[in-house]
């Protein structure tokens, strides 16, 4: 069997994706995305699940977006159900970049409340991109159950996702301001402020909200 130059380039790229040097893996992912080939898809998805370097993972995602959605989508939808945390997170991230709403049914409440913060954050970002028209309020109600969760980065991610949905989040945030959990109340108040004034920094919004909650207020006076 004759091995063509294209076959040689494909073999080299596939080997490069597994190289021990991150710079080589990055260049290989760039090459794969520059010259898409269906033969790369499985390897790209496989690497997404185990690649340790953020910049390489991002390039892998970009390379996947360069391939036909009809070929990548079914494989990515399987990955969001993987037991491997990074596989779920990166598949969700890639789905958010592809932006095809056929993926929406895969964004389940289970993923939106995943025990791993990175998976949950990826699910929130994907949900905001993929949510069908008219379902924003229902999504906001689910996302609001996660208010108060995690550290600052996780809370900031959730606030950004909620604010991106727009005014439909108002009822869910209002309900959360009376929740028993003070962290949830503070996070809801901070997100309300970000919705009213997008230029407000999250740090100042959350600190002000904490003071309001500590003083026993709801932050609703004068609204």
């Amino acid at each position: 069997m004759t091995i063509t130059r294209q076959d040689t380039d494909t073999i080299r790229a596939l080997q490069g994706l597994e190289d021990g040097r991150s710079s080589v893996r990055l260049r290989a992912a760039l090459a794969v995305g520059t010259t898409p080939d269906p033969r790369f898809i499985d390897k790209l998805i496989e690497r997404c699940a185990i690649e340790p370097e953020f910049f390489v993972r991002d390039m892998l995602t970009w390379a996947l977006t360069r391939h036909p959605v009809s070929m990548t989508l079914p494989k990515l939808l399987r990955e969001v159900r993987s037991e491997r945390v990074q596989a779920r997170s990166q598949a969700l991230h890639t789905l958010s970049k592809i932006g095809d709403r056929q993926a929406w049914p895969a964004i389940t409440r289970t993923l939106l409340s995943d025990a791993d913060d990175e998976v949950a954050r990826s699910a929130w970002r994907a949900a905001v991109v993929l949510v069908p028209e008219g379902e924003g309020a229902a999504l906001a109600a689910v996302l609001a159950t996660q208010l108060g969760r995690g550290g600052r980065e996780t809370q900031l991610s959730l606030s950004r996702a909620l604010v991106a949905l727009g005014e439909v989040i108002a009822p869910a945030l209002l309900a959360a301001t009376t929740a028993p959990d003070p962290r949830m109340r503070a996070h809801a108040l901070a997100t309300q402020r970000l919705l009213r004034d997008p230029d407000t920094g999250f740090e100042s919004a959350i600190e002000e909200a904490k003071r309001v909650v500590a003083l026993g207020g709801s932050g609703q006076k004068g609204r």
Side-chain angles (χ1 to χ4, degrees):
M1 183 178 67
T2 302
I3 297 178
T4 65
R5 177 180 177 80
Q6 185 179 20
D7 289 332
T8 302
D9 290 344
T10 298
I11 292 169
R12 185 179 296 116
L14 290 172
Q15 290 174 338
L17 290 172
E18 296 183 336
D19 195 274
R21 295 161 293 180
S22 61
S23 60
V24 174
R25 298 196 304 275
L26 185 66
R27 288 196 298 271
L30 174 60
V32 169
T34 302
T35 312
D37 184 323
R39 290 176 294 180
F40 292 130
I41 293 174
D42 285 341
K43 177 58 70 175
L44 288 170
I45 291 177
E46 176 188 315
R47 285 302 309 176
C48 279
I50 59 177
E51 171 56 51
E53 297 293 331
F54 169 79
F55 291 110
V56 180
R57 290 199 303 273
D58 225 34
M59 191 65 77
L60 292 168
T61 280
W62 173 77
L64 281 166
T65 68
R66 298 271 295 160
H67 289 78
V69 174
S70 61
M71 302 185 77
T72 58
L73 193 61
K75 298 176 185 292
L76 290 168
L77 294 179
R78 283 198 296 271
E79 285 294 283
V80 301
R81 299 190 296 271
S82 170
E83 293 184 2
R84 189 188 292 267
V85 166
Q86 186 171 302
R88 297 199 302 277
S89 175
Q90 200 64 25
L92 287 163
H93 175 65
T94 304
L95 289 172
S96 74
K97 294 299 182 183
I98 292 173
D100 192 307
R101 285 184 170 171
Q102 291 182 84
W104 168 246
I107 311 301
T108 61
R109 181 184 286 264
T110 299
L111 283 173
L112 293 169
S113 59
D114 195 281
D116 184 87
D117 285 347
E118 196 55 46
V119 174
R121 289 169 63 183
S122 295
W124 302 337
R125 290 190 292 265
V128 169
V129 172
L130 302 173
V131 62
E133 187 174 351
E135 295 193 33
L139 173 59
V142 176
L143 293 181
T145 66
Q146 303 300 298
L147 287 165
R149 168 181 176 163
R152 293 298 172 86
E153 285 303 312
T154 297
Q155 293 192 7
L156 175 57
S157 290
L158 181 55
S159 289
R160 283 175 172 168
L162 282 162
V163 170
L165 291 173
E167 290 294 333
V168 297
I169 70 173
L173 290 182
L174 183 61
T177 60
T178 60
D181 183 353
R183 283 172 57 86
M184 179 177 279
R185 294 202 303 275
H187 194 184
L189 290 171
T191 306
Q192 281 183 332
R193 183 176 174 190
L194 292 174
L195 180 63
R196 293 194 302 267
D197 182 7
D199 293 329
T200 300
F202 182 73
E203 287 295 324
S204 62
I206 195 69
E207 290 304 323
E208 177 186 328
K210 284 180 177 179
R211 287 193 293 272
V212 170
V213 170
L215 292 171
S218 66
Q220 302 306 315
K221 291 183 178 179
R223 280 180 57 79

